[in-house]
């Protein structure tokens, strides 16, 4: 076979493989959007990993097109496995912090790289195939035996608190949380913070007061974001119910429950990463605003029906996203805007601005 014929044959093979991948991805997208239209409770936010599964399946099928490509076959299995695990995440079968715990197994990547190098040096596709096989096996074992592999490594209790002070009218609180469970609520004290952290990892906390205002900041010890295998790591941050707060919360891979129903929070800034987030608002502030950014997560906002609510979000919503509350779309060329009836005439108002990644979203009234 001449060089020109060989090049032409390779081009046809690449086009065939590319067509298989693109075709299956289009099919999966169409199926997801059809299901989202017929069953809004599922929607794209929960089914998007099907696209990754289709990508893996297409790569697997394309490897069978002559000549047989063993490395491409295992790459397809790897991609499909990742897609299945992500689907388990979005369907709430496996928690999102599974991926953070996997970092504890990073030496497996070195072993896999070693097999890949040996395979390349010896020009052995069988040896090279051990690299994806090892990673695939690690993912599957982590799913099945995660409770054993990622067992708790031991936690210690830390605490910071201060009695309520005279003359304090307002405060700002910044909570920088990484991995685990975060709870925020109200107390009769000025503040009461309890943290479960690995031994010798006491959180960094600062408190300052200027006239009638205070400022609090709590964050993990340096490099604490690399903690692994501590799914029970937990912070409980309780703030005075008697002063007006500006609250800033940043989370990583975590489950966050912010019960603000008994707090005067006039401004909330929340930056979430991966995990479940619930925010329960109250009606103690006359005018309140909240700006929320999330990544791959499930977000639930619970709002009192006694308050006028305005919601601006970077995507359109359906009636299934609202529970026990009547929010009507009022416009928005870019972001979608929703309001409760008579928002501009209500005595107390809550202004929500939500920017979401790949997430599921619910607003519930109480």
């Amino acid at each position: 076979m001449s060089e020109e014929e060989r090049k032409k044959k390779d081009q046809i093979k690449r086009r065939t493989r590319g067509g298989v991948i693109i075709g299956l991805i289009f099919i999966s997208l169409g199926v997801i959007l059809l299901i989202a239209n017929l069953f809004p409770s599922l929607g794209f936010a929960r089914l998007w990993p099907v696209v990754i599964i289709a990508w893996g399946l297409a790569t697997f099928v394309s490897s069978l097109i002559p000549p047989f490509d063993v490395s491409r076959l295992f790459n397809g299995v790897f991609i499909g496995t990742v897609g299945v695990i992500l689907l388990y995440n979005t369907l709430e079968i496996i928690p999102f912090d599974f991926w953070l715990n996997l970092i504890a197994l990073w030496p497996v990547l070195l072993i896999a790289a070693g097999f890949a190098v040996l395979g390349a040096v010896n020009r052995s596709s069988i040896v090279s195939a051990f690299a994806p096989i090892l990673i695939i096996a690690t993912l599957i074992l982590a799913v099945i035996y995660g409770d054993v592999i990622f067992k708790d490594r031991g936690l210690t209790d830390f605490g910071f608190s201060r009695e309520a002070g005279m003359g304090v009218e307002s405060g700002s609180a910044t909570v920088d949380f990484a991995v685990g469970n975060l709870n925020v609520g109200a107390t009769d004290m000025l503040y009461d913070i309890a943290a479960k952290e690995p031994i010798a990892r006491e959180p960094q906390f600062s408190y300052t007061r200027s006239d009638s205002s205070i400022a609090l900041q709590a964050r993990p010890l340096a490099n604490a974001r690399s903690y692994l295998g501590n799914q029970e790591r937990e912070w409980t941050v309780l703030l005075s119910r008697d002063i007006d707060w500006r609250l800033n919360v940043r989370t990583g891979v975590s489950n966050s429950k912010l019960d603000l129903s008994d707090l005067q929070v006039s401004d909330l800034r929340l930056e979430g990463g991966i995990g479940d987030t619930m925010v329960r608002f109250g009606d103690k502030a006359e005018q309140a605003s909240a700006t929320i950014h999330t990544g791959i997560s499930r977000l639930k906002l619970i709002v009192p029906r006694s308050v006028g609510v305005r919601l601006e979000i970077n995507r359109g919503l359906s009636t299934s996203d609202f529970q026990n509350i009547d929010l009507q779309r009022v416009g928005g060329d870019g972001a979608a805007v929703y309001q409760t009836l008579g928002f501009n005439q209500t005595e107390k108002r809550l202004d929500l601005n939500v920017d979401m990644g790949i997430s599921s979203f619910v607003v519930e009234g109480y």
Side-chain angles (χ1 to χ4, degrees):
M1 181 185 297
S2 67
E3 184 66 23
E4 184 177 346
E5 290 175 336
R6 186 179 295 106
K7 287 182 179 179
K8 187 175 181 179
K9 188 175 181 179
D10 288 342
Q11 288 176 354
I12 294 173
K13 182 172 65 176
R14 285 195 296 269
R15 282 198 300 267
T16 303
R17 287 176 171 173
V20 170
I21 293 174
I22 294 173
L24 284 176
I25 289 176
F26 275 144
I27 291 172
S28 65
L29 277 173
V31 170
I32 292 174
L33 294 174
L34 181 60
I35 292 175
N37 287 336
L38 297 177
F39 306 99
S41 60
L42 291 175
F44 188 81
R46 306 195 73 179
L47 297 179
W48 63 266
V50 173
V51 176
I52 297 178
I53 297 173
W55 176 20
L57 177 61
T59 303
F60 176 86
V61 171
S62 66
S63 71
L64 304 178
I65 298 174
F68 177 70
D69 189 335
V70 65
S71 63
R72 192 176 185 86
L73 181 145
F74 284 111
N75 287 339
V77 176
F78 168 70
I79 295 170
T81 302
V82 171
V84 170
I85 297 174
L86 286 171
L87 183 61
Y88 280 6
N89 291 149
T90 58
L91 295 178
E92 305 180 23
I93 299 173
I94 296 176
F96 278 102
D97 58 12
F98 167 85
W99 297 103
L100 186 86
N101 287 329
L102 271 183
I103 300 176
L105 304 179
W106 68 266
V108 171
L109 295 178
L110 288 179
I111 301 172
F115 279 117
V117 171
L118 288 175
V121 170
N122 295 286
R123 296 182 179 179
S124 172
S125 59
I126 296 177
V127 175
S128 297
F130 275 104
I133 290 173
L134 181 61
I135 296 175
I136 293 166
T138 300
L139 288 174
I140 294 174
L141 289 174
V143 170
I144 298 173
Y145 299 107
D147 291 342
V148 176
I149 297 173
F150 306 123
K151 62 182 178 180
D152 181 37
R153 300 179 182 180
L155 299 172
T156 300
D157 292 329
F158 298 96
F160 312 90
S161 62
R162 182 181 291 265
E163 295 291 339
M166 297 294 292
V168 179
E169 298 177 359
S170 63
S172 66
T174 299
V175 180
D176 190 355
F177 188 72
V179 181
N181 301 303
L182 172 65
N183 305 293
V184 176
T187 179
D188 291 328
M189 304 180 70
L190 191 58
Y191 60 83
D192 187 8
I193 301 174
K196 292 183 178 180
E197 290 282 359
I199 298 173
R201 289 287 185 174
E202 182 176 2
Q204 296 181 318
F205 176 77
S206 65
Y207 164 79
T208 58
R209 176 170 177 174
S210 177
D211 298 327
S212 62
S213 179
I214 64 170
L216 312 176
Q217 185 177 53
R219 61 188 180 88
L221 192 65
N223 300 322
R225 291 182 182 275
S226 63
Y227 292 160
L228 308 170
N230 287 296
Q231 296 185 23
E232 298 304 318
R233 181 175 178 267
E234 183 173 4
W235 285 16
T236 298
V237 179
L238 304 180
L239 304 173
S240 171
R241 57 171 52 88
D242 297 322
I243 67 177
D244 180 37
W245 289 100
R246 298 185 310 279
L247 180 59
N248 296 281
V249 178
R250 294 188 291 269
T251 65
V253 181
S254 64
N255 296 319
S256 305
K257 295 181 179 179
L258 282 63
D259 187 353
L260 313 181
S261 58
D262 202 24
L263 286 172
Q264 298 180 48
V265 179
S266 58
D267 184 67
L268 169 67
R269 306 279 173 167
L270 172 61
E271 294 183 15
I274 300 174
D276 294 342
T277 301
M278 185 278 288
V279 184
R280 184 184 183 95
F281 294 93
D283 60 0
K284 299 186 71 173
E286 295 290 331
Q287 302 286 332
S289 64
T291 301
I292 300 173
H293 300 272
T294 65
I296 302 175
S297 64
R298 288 179 291 272
L299 175 63
K300 184 174 185 178
L301 305 181
I302 304 175
V303 299
R305 292 196 302 275
S306 59
V307 172
V309 177
R310 180 182 184 276
L311 168 65
E312 183 174 337
I313 188 169
N314 64 332
R315 72 182 194 196
L317 300 173
S318 66
T319 54
S320 64
D321 297 308
F322 304 135
Q323 299 176 3
N324 204 26
I325 187 172
D326 186 16
L327 282 169
Q328 300 295 326
R329 185 160 184 170
V330 295
D333 296 330
V337 180
Y338 300 83
Q339 286 184 183
T340 52
L341 184 64
F343 170 78
N344 293 322
Q345 287 73 45
T346 52
E347 185 176 336
K348 296 183 177 181
R349 303 176 190 173
L350 173 61
D351 201 330
L352 303 171
N353 190 304
V354 179
D355 184 8
M356 305 178 66
I358 301 174
S359 308
S360 62
F361 180 61
V362 171
V363 181
E364 180 180 320
Y366 72 96

